[in-house]
Amino acid sequence: MGGLKLDRRDGVLTVTLSRPERLNAVTSELTEELIDVLNGLMRDPDIRVVVLTGEGRGFCSGMDLQGDGPSSGSGSGGDDGSGGGQGRVQRIYAGIARGGEVTARLREIPQPVVAALHGPVAGMGVSWALACDLRVADPTTRFVVPFTDLGFSAGDCGLSWLLPRLVGPAKAAEIAYLAERFDVRRADELGLITELAEEGRDLEAAQALAGRLLAKAPFGLRRTKELLNLAVDAPGLRQQLAAETGVQTLGFFTEDLVEGMTATLQKRRPSFKDR
């Protein structure tokens, strides 16, 4: 696997996003690899706990908009601009929808998932981190929810469904509307962090937490996850994912998105024109 590293031992599967040179920015290939792994876990009774982390300086910096992510010409549609393959709208929609499929699968697999967080947790990476059952973070962890600064909505791969359920509607609105960036201390205050780890030891702490889960009854853990999901699945994650994907795809075709991206790269405030 080019975008993932897998370490399977003693009932725990550690899945590492492995594009450290790009802060583990998400490509269509990485997304498909991760979906394949998660699909396999649906029918793998030997793996009882999953740990999800990122290699290098960060957990995940979101969709790779500058490389070979779903919005580029080398995305899953294979459209090189010559008229063959999928169009850009179709390719972007598919890329976002598949990122949302990772979110759904992280919640649907029977194994509890522990996220080991450090460095940037941004964009799509926030949704994936929040879709995990438990989160361990070291002091370098910082959450970045940049969407309204870029010209997008903050509905991305399940974020508008997950965030209100974890921090409450008022705090979710504050974070989403203001495109907040916040450190691990605030994340802990918001109730997003299960355990704080020493710097550089988030994966070690997450695996130790996985070890504690291994001591619990396998049937009990799986059914508990199933019941917890049933308790909060209203109106339903998949309905929300469909709504988010449509809105987010449209964002790619606004002039304000270009302005938001440019302003971010130039480290200035964007001047949006609602175009």
Side-chain angles (χ1 to χ4, degrees):
M1 290 190 169
L4 296 179
K5 290 182 178 178
L6 305 179
D7 181 12
R8 180 186 181 111
R9 65 180 75 184
D10 300 327
V12 177
L13 178 66
T14 300
V15 181
T16 304
L17 308 179
S18 183
R19 300 187 70 229
E21 72 286 353
R22 297 285 297 153
L23 284 174
N24 302 314
V26 178
T27 64
S28 55
E29 289 79 9
L30 185 151
T31 299
E32 293 305 319
E33 289 179 14
L34 189 49
I35 289 172
D36 285 345
V37 170
L38 295 173
N39 284 341
L41 286 166
M42 295 291 290
R43 54 184 183 274
D44 189 342
D46 295 327
I47 294 298
R48 292 168 51 194
V49 184
V50 177
V51 174
L52 179 65
T53 191
E55 184 177 357
R57 296 183 295 111
F59 174 73
C60 177
S61 58
M63 183 185 290
D64 192 340
L65 295 173
Q66 298 180 2
D68 58 346
S71 65
S72 72
S74 59
S76 60
D79 184 5
D80 59 4
S82 62
Q86 288 182 316
R88 188 165 181 248
V89 171
Q90 291 86 344
R91 190 169 60 249
I92 292 171
Y93 188 98
I96 298 170
R98 295 301 277 171
E101 186 66 21
V102 172
T103 302
R105 278 308 198 198
L106 285 168
R107 288 177 49 78
E108 290 168 349
I109 61 174
Q111 301 88 350
V113 184
V114 182
L117 306 176
H118 57 278
V121 182
M124 185 184 294
V126 177
S127 299
W128 289 1
L130 298 189
C132 296
D133 298 279
L134 304 170
R135 282 161 293 280
V136 175
D138 85 353
T140 68
T141 304
R142 59 187 187 278
F143 288 81
V144 182
V145 185
F147 301 104
T148 58
D149 276 344
L150 298 174
F152 288 121
S153 82
D156 188 75
C157 295
L159 184 63
S160 68
W161 188 91
L162 291 161
L163 193 58
R165 284 163 170 78
L166 289 169
V167 304
K171 286 298 181 184
E174 177 185 334
I175 292 166
Y177 292 156
L178 297 176
E180 286 200 344
R181 292 155 169 78
F182 52 93
D183 61 15
V184 71
R185 179 190 59 79
R186 175 123 193 271
D188 191 32
E189 291 173 352
L190 289 166
L192 295 176
I193 306 301
T194 307
E195 183 178 326
L196 296 171
E198 295 179 12
E199 184 169 344
R201 302 186 68 177
D202 55 293
L203 178 57
E204 178 183 340
Q207 290 174 332
L209 183 55
R212 291 172 60 191
L213 293 174
L214 288 176
K216 310 304 179 185
F219 176 85
L221 276 182
R222 289 175 181 238
R223 298 291 78 79
T224 297
K225 178 168 182 175
E226 179 182 293
L227 290 169
L228 288 173
N229 283 338
L230 286 171
V232 298
D233 273 351
L237 172 58
R238 288 195 174 275
Q239 292 92 322
Q240 194 76 358
L241 286 169
E244 285 186 353
T245 299
V247 173
Q248 206 74 320
T249 299
L250 290 174
F252 275 91
F253 298 90
T254 65
E255 293 179 19
D256 279 350
L257 175 66
V258 177
E259 167 62 12
M261 293 287 192
T262 302
T264 298
L265 291 172
Q266 295 177 351
K267 300 186 185 308
R268 61 173 174 82
R269 292 178 64 86
S271 178
F272 293 129
K273 298 179 180 177
D274 195 20
R275 297 181 61 182

